[in-house]
Amino acid sequence: MATSSPTPSQTFEQRNHFLLRKLHSLSGIVPVGVFLIEHLVTNSMAAFGTEADPGAKFNKSVQFIADLPFLFFLEFFGIFLPLAFHAIYGIRIAMTANYNSAQYPYMANRRYSLQRVSGYVAFVFLIVHLLKFRFAHWIGLAEKHFLHTGNYFQTTYNGLMDWHPWGLYMPPSVVMTFYVIGLAAASFHFANGLWTFCISWGITIGERAQKRVGMAAAVFGIGLFSLGLLSLWGFATKGSPDHNSDRRGSTAVVEGASAE
C-alpha cells in the first residue's frame, strides 16, 4: 500500500504532527510531571517544621536543591525548555480543539474539555507563580519578602501572606484562593494527562486496563492536590509575619532555587 509523503505546501507542524504530539505527551510526564511531583513534595515540608524552627525541614529541602551542581543548566534544559514547549504547543492544541461536551455530555468529552481548560488555568498560574517568586527581580518585585537569603520558609511565607507588589496590598485570602485554584488545575491536568499518556503510548490496552489506570490517576491527582494544600496550610499556620526585615538585604534567594 502506498504511503502519503509530505508535500512542499505542508507546514512544519503538519509534516511532524505525530512526532510533536508524542513529544508533547512525553514532556508532560518527563520532565515536567516529575518536577511537579518533586516541587509539591518539597513544599509540603513546610507543614513539618518544629515549634522552635518551623522552616527547618523546608529550608533544608530547598537548600539541597540550591546546592545542586550545574543548577542553571538543570533548570534551563531540564525544566524551563520542556515546560515552555509543553505549554506553548499545548495552547496550540487547545486553540484548535473541537469542544463538543455540551452536545455530547459523555465523561470522555468532559475530560477532554477539562484537560484543555485546566491547561489554560495552570499556564496563567505558572506565569504568575514564576514572576512572583523565581523571577521577581525581573519585574521590580524583589522587595522585603525576597531578602531572606537562606531562609526560604520566611521568604515564601511573606510572598503568600504579606505580598505588596509595587506597593499594593494583596489580601492573603486572595493569594491563597488563587493558589488553591492553580494547584487544582495543575493536579488535574497532570493526572488526566498521565492517564491519556498511558493510552496513547499503548501502555494500557483494553477498556478494563484503561479504567483501572484512570482510577489510579484520579487518586494520584487528589494526592498531588493534597500535597499542595498541605504546603499552603503549613505556611499559613506555622509562619509568622516579619516586620523587621532589612529592605537593603540581598536578593540572592530569588535568583537561586524557587521556593513555593
Side-chain angles (χ1 to χ4, degrees):
M1 179 182 295
T3 58
S4 60
S5 57
T7 62
S9 61
Q10 288 181 315
T11 64
F12 175 84
E13 181 183 1
Q14 290 171 334
R15 293 194 304 270
N16 300 277
H17 176 79
F18 179 80
L19 176 62
L20 289 173
R21 286 294 183 117
K22 287 296 184 182
L23 288 176
H24 178 262
S25 176
L26 179 62
S27 66
I29 308 302
V30 180
V32 174
V34 174
F35 170 71
L36 176 63
I37 296 172
E38 178 278 321
H39 198 52
L40 291 177
V41 170
T42 298
N43 290 338
S44 69
M45 294 297 103
F48 300 102
T50 63
E51 184 176 351
D53 189 357
K57 291 184 179 295
F58 180 78
N59 286 335
K60 183 178 179 180
S61 298
V62 176
Q63 191 63 54
F64 171 78
I65 298 172
D67 291 338
L68 289 175
F70 311 111
L71 179 61
F72 171 80
F73 295 98
L74 288 173
E75 283 188 326
F76 187 76
F77 293 104
I79 299 174
F80 294 139
L81 278 184
L83 184 57
F85 166 73
H86 187 81
I88 294 172
Y89 193 62
I91 291 175
R92 168 64 179 168
I93 293 174
M95 291 177 63
T96 58
N98 181 21
Y99 300 94
N100 60 358
S101 58
Q103 294 86 351
Y104 305 98
Y106 303 115
M107 183 58 66
N109 287 339
R110 289 172 177 169
R111 280 197 300 264
Y112 179 89
S113 299
L114 283 174
Q115 183 70 359
R116 273 65 186 170
V117 172
S118 65
Y120 281 126
V121 176
F123 178 75
V124 173
F125 171 69
L126 174 66
I127 295 298
V128 174
H129 179 64
L130 288 175
L131 292 178
K132 186 175 179 355
F133 284 102
R134 184 61 178 84
F135 301 112
H137 52 295
W138 285 9
I139 58 173
L141 292 182
E143 51 183 54
K144 75 169 188 176
H145 60 273
F146 294 112
L147 307 181
H148 297 275
T149 305
N151 192 347
Y152 303 102
F153 182 86
Q154 187 66 50
T155 294
T156 309
Y157 172 84
N158 286 340
L160 291 170
M161 308 298 292
D162 190 24
W163 191 35
H164 298 78
W166 300 290
L168 302 175
Y169 174 66
M170 292 295 292
S173 59
V174 173
V175 178
M176 285 297 201
T177 300
F178 174 75
Y179 267 80
V180 169
I181 294 173
L183 286 169
S187 299
F188 173 83
H189 191 78
F190 176 53
N192 190 64
L194 182 61
W195 178 65
T196 57
F197 170 84
C198 291
I199 296 175
S200 62
W201 283 75
I203 298 174
T204 53
I205 301 175
E207 184 177 353
R208 178 177 297 181
Q210 292 175 6
K211 285 184 177 180
R212 288 177 176 176
V213 172
M215 292 179 63
V219 172
F220 181 66
I222 293 173
L224 286 179
F225 182 54
S226 299
L227 281 176
L229 294 180
L230 183 63
S231 66
L232 294 178
W233 176 83
F235 287 114
T237 60
K238 294 182 178 296
S240 59
D242 177 29
H243 300 295
N244 300 311
S245 62
D246 183 358
R247 291 178 179 267
R248 297 169 298 176
S250 168
T251 61
V253 65
V254 292
E255 297 177 2
S258 59
E260 162 57 29

